[in-house]
Amino acid sequence: MTAPVLAPADDWADLQGAALLGTDRRPLPEPRTALAAAVDRTDPAGALLDLAAVAAVRRRAGALPAPAVETPAPAPDDPRPALPEAAARRLAVLLGTRGGHGSTANLAELLPQWLTAARTRGYRLPPALVPTLLDTARARSELRSDAVALAGPLGRWLAPHNPDWKYVTRTAGEQDVHQQPGELLWQEGLFAERVTHLTRLRRTDPAAGLALLASTWSTERAEDRVLFLDSLQDGLSAADEDFLEAALSDRSKNVRATAAELLSTLPGSALAARMAARARTAVRHDGDRLHVTPPAACDAAMQRDGIPVKSPTGRGERAWWFGEVVAGAPLALWTTDTGLGPEQLLALPTVDAPDGGGAEWAEDLREGWARAAVRQQDAAWARALLGTPPRPGRDTRTPGAPAKLLAVLPPAERAAWTAAFVQTHGLGDAFQLLGACATPWTPPLSTAVVAALKRAAELGSYPWSHSGVLGMTERALAPETAPAVEALAADTSPDTAWSDTFTRLAGTLRFRQAMLAELE
C-alpha cells in the first residue's frame, strides 16, 4: 500500500493567494491529482472553492494521529460533607446572574456572604460548580480566599490546567501558610498576593513573618515597604521593635511615619517613651485644669520619630506637632501621672501656658487622644471620647472620627451606640457608623434602621438620598426584620419610589433568610 499523498504546502499557498487577490489576478494552480483535474474550471471562483475543498480533505485524510495524551491522576479525595442540594441550586443562581433576581438586590453582592457562610460550615462544593466559581473569583479578588477554600482539592487540581486560575496556587489557606508555594510566592508572586501571604503568616507565626519580610526588605520598593509594614499589625509585639526602630531611619518618609505609628502602639517601646516625655512637656496637669504648651519647633529627633515638619492637612504647624505628640504617647501616661480616669480628664478645662501662643488647644488635645485610642485599641478611652450619642440640636461631631472609635468597642456595644444614634438622628450621618458595625446587624440596630427608613419615607425624602445606607441594609440587616419591611411596603403608596425600595429590600431579606437556612 502506498502512503497517502498530502497536498503540497505550495498548493495550499497558491489557493490562498488566488482567494486573497482574486482569480482574475492570480490564476488557479495546475492540478496535481486526478480529483483536482476533474474540477470544472469554467467558473474560476467556483473552481477555487472546489479545489480548496479537495485540498482540505486530502490534508485531513493524510494527517497522522498525534501521540496519546497521558491521562492525569484523579483529584485527591475531599472528605468534607457535601453541600446540601438546595444550597447548591442557590449557588448556581448566585454564580449565574449579574443583576437582580425578581424583586431582590444585585445577587452578585450577596455572593460573598454565601461563600463565607458555606466556608464556615466546612462544605464541599459540587464538582460541576467549581470551574464557574473559580472563573468568578478570577475577576473578583475579594472572593478568592473563600472560593479557593471551598473549591478544595479539586480546585487546586484544576488550577494548573487553566492559566486564568493560576491565582489558586498563590492563594494560601490558613493551614498551609508555612508550606510551599509560600516561599515561591514571596519571591515571585504579585504584590497583592505577597501582602496577603505575609498577613496570614503573621497571624499564625509572627516571628516567621518578620523574618520573611526582613529577608527582602532592602530590595523592596518604598511604596511596597509601607504596605508590608502595615501587615506587621497582626501579631505586633516587642519582638518587632528592633526592626521598626531601624525603619525610622528609612529614606521614605511614609515608611518612617508607618514605623512610628506601629511603635507608638507598643507601650514599652523606646519611641513610646520618647513621645511620653514630649507629651509631659506639652501638657501639664495643675489641679483642676490642663496647661498646654505645644512644641515650638519640630527638631530632628521628632522628625525621625515620624512627625513631619509640614502638616499634610493644612493645619497650623504647632497644632500639627502637638497632635502628633499626643497621638503617639501611651494613653496610660495620662491616667498614671494624674490619677484620673479618661472621663475625668476629658472634663477638665484646657488653658494656655504662658507661652502657649494664645490659641485654644482643647480640640487638638481631644483629637490626639482619639487617634491614640484607635491606634492603641483602648476601649476605655474610646468609650469616654464617644460618650452618649449626641442629642438633637447638639454638635454631632465627635473628635477623632467616631466610626474609628466605634471599631475599638466590642461588637454588641458598637451596635447599641449606633442604634441610639440612628434613633436620634436618622440615617443622614450614620453611613460610616453603620459600616463599623459587625454584620449581620443585631436585631436592635436593624429595628432602629428600619424605623429610620420609615421616618424618611413619611417625611417625603427620596430613596436615592439614602442610597449608600440602602445598599448596606440589603447585605447587613438581620433577615428577621423582613416582616417589618414587608409591612412598610404594604403601607406605602404603590406609586412612590419608596414602595419599590421597600419591596426590593423585603425580597432581598427573604432571599438571604432562605439562603442561610439552606446552609444549616
Side-chain angles (χ1 to χ4, degrees), residues 9-10 26 70 93 113 129 165 173 184 202 234 249 256 269 317 335 360 404 409 431 451 474 487:
D10 56 347
R26 174 68 64 87
E70 184 179 354
V93 171
Q113 191 172 135
L129 292 178
W165 299 338
L184 179 64
R202 286 284 296 182
D234 288 292
S249 300
R256 296 195 299 270
S269 69
E317 289 181 345
T335 54
E360 177 59 59
K404 292 182 178 180
L409 301 180
F431 179 77
E474 293 176 337

Side-chain angles (χ1 to χ4, degrees), residues 146-167:
D146 284 337
V148 170
L150 284 166
L154 178 58
R156 295 193 179 276
W157 182 87
L158 285 171
H161 300 284
N162 187 337
D164 289 341
W165 299 338
K166 61 184 178 182
Y167 72 85

Side-chain angles (χ1 to χ4, degrees), residues 70-461:
E70 184 179 354
T71 303
D77 290 334
D78 190 339
R80 296 176 297 178
L83 187 69
E85 185 177 346
R89 290 195 298 268
R90 183 79 58 175
L91 176 60
V93 171
L94 291 170
L95 291 173
T97 181
R98 292 174 179 265
H101 182 71
S103 58
T104 63
N106 186 340
L107 297 189
E109 296 302 316
L110 301 183
L111 180 58
Q113 191 172 135
W114 189 98
L115 294 177
T116 300
R119 178 182 182 178
T120 301
R121 291 162 175 77
Y123 284 123
R124 178 183 78 248
L125 297 186
L129 292 178
V130 170
T132 307
L133 177 59
L134 295 181
D135 276 338
T136 302
R138 178 183 64 84
R140 298 179 61 183
S141 58
E142 78 277 11
L143 303 178
R144 290 181 182 176
S145 179
D146 284 337
V148 170
L150 284 166
L154 178 58
R156 295 193 179 276
W157 182 87
L158 285 171
H161 300 284
N162 187 337
D164 289 341
W165 299 338
K166 61 184 178 182
Y167 72 85
V168 173
T169 58
R170 294 173 171 171
T171 305
E174 299 289 350
Q175 74 282 358
D176 58 4
V177 291
H178 295 279
Q179 304 170 3
Q180 290 293 340
E183 185 65 29
L184 179 64
L185 187 153
W186 182 251
Q187 298 296 335
E188 302 179 5
L190 301 175
F191 173 69
E193 296 165 343
R194 298 177 71 210
V195 170
T196 300
H197 177 70
L198 177 61
T199 301
R200 287 182 171 151
L201 186 55
R202 286 284 296 182
R203 291 171 184 167
T204 57
D205 190 343
L210 179 63
L212 188 66
L213 179 58
S215 68
T216 59
W217 179 255
S218 61
T219 63
E220 304 291 353
R221 300 183 306 167
E223 56 267 33
D224 294 347
R225 293 200 300 275
V226 173
L227 294 178
F228 283 139
L229 277 187
D230 275 338
S231 300
L232 297 188
Q233 294 182 66
D234 288 292
L236 186 67
S237 71
D240 302 309
E241 182 177 359
D242 290 343
F243 181 85
L244 293 171
E245 186 73 25
L248 291 177
S249 300
D250 195 274
R251 59 185 179 273
S252 167
K253 66 178 182 180
N254 291 330
V255 171
R256 296 195 299 270
T258 303
E261 184 170 340
L262 290 172
L263 283 169
S264 69
T265 68
L266 297 174
S269 69
L271 179 137
R274 295 193 294 269
M275 287 295 193
R278 296 178 183 121
R280 286 191 177 100
T281 301
V283 182
R284 181 173 59 85
H285 176 232
D286 180 17
D288 59 351
R289 63 188 60 196
L290 298 172
H291 293 268
V292 175
T293 307
C298 185
D299 58 31
M302 291 171 64
Q303 293 176 48
R304 184 180 183 275
D305 285 345
I307 301 178
V309 176
K310 298 294 183 181
S311 168
T313 62
R315 295 172 64 188
E317 289 181 345
R318 299 190 71 189
W320 166 251
W321 301 331
F322 176 61
E324 290 294 288
V325 167
V326 174
L331 286 167
L333 158 75
W334 311 103
T335 54
T336 301
D337 283 7
T338 65
L340 303 176
E343 294 86 355
Q344 294 169 302
L345 284 165
L346 288 165
L348 291 178
T350 302
V351 297
D352 292 338
D355 59 347
E360 177 59 59
W361 305 105
E363 184 175 342
D364 298 297
L365 178 61
R366 290 177 66 92
E367 289 193 356
W369 277 339
R371 289 167 57 200
V374 173
R375 190 179 295 180
Q376 299 171 36
Q377 293 292 288
D378 193 307
W381 272 92
R383 191 175 295 117
L385 285 157
L386 282 167
T388 57
R391 296 186 300 273
R394 291 178 54 195
D395 182 9
T396 62
R397 189 173 66 87
T398 298
K404 292 182 178 180
L405 288 169
L406 269 181
V408 178
L409 301 180
E413 186 177 355
R414 204 182 311 164
W417 196 96
T418 305
F421 183 95
V422 169
Q423 289 169 350
T424 303
H425 297 283
L427 300 172
D429 297 318
F431 179 77
Q432 291 184 333
L433 302 177
L434 291 168
C437 294
T439 57
W441 294 332
T442 61
L445 177 55
S446 296
T447 299
V449 170
V450 171
L453 289 174
K454 179 181 179 181
R455 292 197 301 272
E458 291 172 345
L459 291 173
S461 62

